[in-house]
Structures are given as structure tokens and as C-alpha cells.
Amino acid sequence: MKLRIDQLRAQLQTQLMPVYIVSGDEPFQVAQCGDQIRQYARDSGFGERHVYHVEKGFDWGDFLTTANSLSLFAQKQILELRIPGGKPGSAGSEALLEYISHPSPDNLLLMITDRLDNTVQKSKWFKALEKVGVFIPIWPIESRQLPGWLNQQLKVDGYRATGDALSLIAERVEGNLLAASQELEKLKLLARDKTIDAATVQEAVSDHARYDVYQLLDSALEGNIKQCVRILGILKGEGTEPTIILWALAREIRLLSHLSRQLSRGIARDLAVEQSAKVLGFVPYMLKRRTSLLSQAIRRSSERNLRQMLLYTGKIDRCIKGLEKGNVWDQMLTLTLNLAGLPPIEVIT
């Protein structure tokens, strides 16, 4: 059985299944999901918990021994397998198939993994577990989905928030679900009649948005002008060295310039972009997004404009070193917005 995370509570209230597989790359939601399952299990008499971290050389025999060692008077037990890569290996696959071939009603198997790809989901051990249990794939929450997620978190405890309040919370805690949860708990204490408005949020919620240079690059490649201005301002306020930002921007522009030359030689766009993304060493689950961002940027960037941007990076570098006069941060913003799609820079050489 495959469920969304928002369907889990209702399922647990109906029936506690013998197997739960929680899979995803969003730590807060994965932890929240695991906590719900453990709580319902404890309320159902599963008083013991054994946690196994599956790494290279893991002893699957120990896991099976614990699963099969209940005595007549022993408590029910939660067997929690944490498999970061999501692949138990051949020994693990055999052990899981053996476990599920004669499951005990006194055991509950909770498996927590990173995002599982299609290959794993088609494996024999996974299908066997999913057939008798519940699979909960968890996906990161996008910015546009965050207000809805916040609203749902409040509704669970009988609270509500105005649309403006939800938008303001989402802006302040962007992408940080742990911070969002902490702020909601604080806002519940301040709410009047269990209602949270924008004024309450304005006074109470800190700005938990935290950015790095790579998020700036992603926003620029995506063409998100507003986000570029916001992130660059935060990086400046946090004292990030302009040299670091310039290095990252220049690297991205050189990559796009290289892509532009490949395309002019007749190489297929998708192939050229994917190869370039792989060269930068992105892990598989990030490669798809990176490829998409590069594709967006190269479609709106001419080879001439990219050359002008590279020349402009040299100008900024000279300003940083004191060899030319100019406001480095203003120039950095100009370069970033040009990369994001604003009118081309004209550099006189």
C-alpha cells in the first residue's frame, strides 16, 4: 500500500500494519512520520524498540535473531531499520524476504531510508514488504506548497491562520521545516481564539531563511529575479566574502559559455547540458534538477551576452582588489540579474 504523508494519520487510526517504509530526502518530514508510527505502535503495546543502522558489514543475522527471539512473556517490539542508501544488498534482500515469509504479530518493522529510486521499488524484497505493509514516499515541499503545509500543521491542533499570516510565515522560514514547526508552536501560545493573523506573525517570527551561494546560483539560472535580490542581500548582511560569490558566478557563466559553443557546433542541447552537469559532480537525485536549471538558462543566454558577463566578472574582480573604483555589491547584483535574464551587460573593452 502506497500512501501520502498526509494520509498516514487516518491509516494508523484504522489499523496498525506490520511494515512501514518511510522514504525521502526531507529530514523533518521523515522524522515526523516516524514519530507518528512509533507513537501509535507504543499505544498498541509495542513496548520495546530495536534500532539498526545498516552500513557496510551490517550483521543481518543479528536482526533476524532479534525478530525471532520473542518469548511467551516478551513485549511486542518495533524493529527499526535505518538504511541511508535504501539498498540493503544481497544479504539484506535475503534477510528481509526471510523475515516477511513468516512475520510475527509481535513485531512491527519500520524502515527509514533516503529516497528510493524506481529500481529499488521494483526489487523483490521491496514488493514483498509493500504487499503486507505501507510505503510512504516523502517529497520536499516547494515554496508554493509551504503555506498549505503550515495550515495543515495548525489544523491538526485546532488552530487556524489567515492567508496573509501563512504567506508571511512561509517567507520567513523558507525551506526550513524545522524552523517552521518551532515558530508554529510559539505562535499557538500567542494566538487569540486559536486564530493567528499577520500582525502576530510580524511581531513573533524571526527570519529563518538561510541561504548559500549555490542557492543564489540556482535562483539565477531559474530566472527568479525577486529571489536573487533577496538572497544576495542576505549574503551581504551575513558578511559573505564577495570573492566567493564572484567565483561561483564566474564558474557558472563559463559553463554556460562552454555549453553555448557546443550547441553552435551542433551537439544536442539535452546531451550537452547533461554532460556538463555530470562534470560538476552532482549526485543522481540532484542531477535532474541541475540539468533543468542549465537548460532554462542556456535558452535565454546568447554567446555574445555570456562573453560580456565574463568580461564583467573581471571588472568586479578588479574592484574587489582595489584596482578600479565601483560598488562591488551593486555590480554583483547587476551580474546576477543579468544571469537571471535581465537586459544584457555592455562592457566596453
Side-chain angles (χ1 to χ4, degrees):
M1 182 192 307
K2 186 176 182 180
L3 295 178
R4 299 190 311 269
I5 188 172
D6 60 333
Q7 297 174 313
L8 175 62
R9 189 180 298 275
Q11 188 282 315
L12 288 168
Q13 291 173 342
T14 302
Q15 178 187 9
L16 191 64
M17 302 294 281
V19 176
Y20 287 87
I21 305 172
V22 181
S23 163
D25 297 325
E26 210 302 306
F28 179 79
Q29 289 190 94
V30 170
Q32 189 180 49
C33 189
D35 287 343
Q36 282 188 50
I37 295 167
R38 293 185 203 98
Q39 185 59 56
Y40 274 89
R42 283 193 290 268
D43 293 344
S44 300
F46 287 81
E48 291 186 17
R49 178 187 174 206
H50 302 275
V51 181
Y52 300 91
H53 296 272
V54 179
E55 300 171 341
K56 187 176 181 180
F58 176 73
D59 186 358
W60 285 98
D62 181 44
F63 163 74
L64 289 175
T65 298
T66 303
N68 297 322
S69 63
L70 281 174
S71 67
L72 183 62
F73 303 103
Q75 285 187 316
K76 294 182 178 181
Q77 58 186 0
I78 301 171
L79 302 174
E80 187 167 326
L81 286 173
R82 294 178 172 265
I83 311 178
K87 296 180 180 180
S90 57
S93 300
E94 292 175 8
L96 290 170
L97 287 170
E98 181 179 341
Y99 171 85
I100 209 62
S101 65
H102 47 82
S104 167
D106 293 325
N107 290 335
L108 182 146
L109 177 61
L110 172 58
M111 182 180 295
I112 297 176
T113 77
D114 294 339
R115 187 186 304 177
L116 297 178
D117 58 31
N118 290 332
T119 302
V120 174
Q121 293 182 42
K122 292 176 182 177
S123 64
K124 190 175 180 180
W125 68 265
F126 179 87
K127 288 182 176 180
L129 294 181
E130 188 183 20
K131 185 176 181 180
V132 300
V134 175
F135 171 45
I136 308 155
I138 297 175
W139 302 92
I141 294 176
E142 298 178 5
S143 297
R144 60 183 176 80
Q145 299 171 316
L146 190 52
W149 181 85
L150 293 167
N151 189 46
Q152 186 62 39
Q153 298 299 301
L154 289 169
K155 283 176 65 177
V156 169
D157 294 323
Y159 289 82
R160 65 175 295 273
T162 64
D164 289 344
L166 291 171
S167 296
L168 187 55
I169 299 169
E171 180 181 342
R172 293 288 183 87
V173 301
E174 185 174 338
N176 190 335
L177 298 190
L178 176 58
S181 177
Q182 292 170 341
E183 293 298 346
L184 290 182
E185 292 304 314
K186 182 167 63 176
L187 287 166
K188 289 174 187 176
L189 299 174
L190 301 174
R192 294 181 180 180
D193 299 324
K194 290 202 167 187
T195 299
I196 299 166
D197 58 20
T200 304
V201 177
Q202 189 71 46
E203 293 179 6
V205 179
S206 305
D207 193 338
H208 285 280
R210 291 293 180 266
Y211 296 101
D212 59 30
V213 174
Y214 296 103
Q215 288 166 296
L216 176 66
L217 295 178
D218 284 356
S219 296
L221 294 176
E222 192 175 26
N224 192 332
I225 303 294
K226 182 179 178 181
Q227 191 78 324
C228 286
V229 175
R230 176 176 170 79
I231 295 176
L232 195 61
I234 290 175
L235 292 176
K236 178 183 177 182
E238 292 178 343
T240 306
E241 288 293 332
T243 307
I244 296 174
I245 302 173
L246 181 62
W247 169 82
L249 287 169
R251 186 196 69 166
E252 216 69 22
I253 295 166
R254 282 195 295 270
L255 174 61
L256 288 170
S257 183
H258 172 68
L259 278 175
S260 182
R261 290 194 298 272
Q262 285 186 299
L263 294 177
S264 66
R265 294 169 186 162
I267 298 177
R269 183 193 305 275
D270 291 346
L271 177 60
V273 171
E274 185 176 351
Q275 288 177 344
S276 297
K278 286 181 177 178
V279 167
L280 293 179
F282 289 97
V283 294
Y285 77 88
M286 292 178 62
L287 184 60
K288 184 176 181 180
R289 170 168 169 75
R290 192 62 183 176
T291 301
S292 173
L293 290 174
L294 288 172
S295 294
Q296 291 179 57
I298 199 64
R299 284 190 180 95
R300 63 172 183 266
S301 303
S302 69
E303 198 165 344
R304 181 179 184 279
N305 186 29
L306 290 166
R307 285 198 300 269
Q308 290 293 307
M309 280 192 275
L310 283 174
L311 290 173
Y312 199 65
T313 62
K315 178 179 177 64
I316 298 174
D317 183 57
R318 290 190 295 275
C319 287
I320 292 174
K321 294 174 180 176
L323 301 176
E324 284 190 21
K325 291 183 179 180
N327 187 308
V328 170
W329 286 102
D330 285 349
Q331 293 173 340
M332 203 88 73
L333 179 59
T334 298
L335 179 64
T336 303
L337 296 184
N338 187 203
L339 182 59
L342 283 192
I345 299 168
E346 292 294 337
V347 180
I348 300 174
T349 57

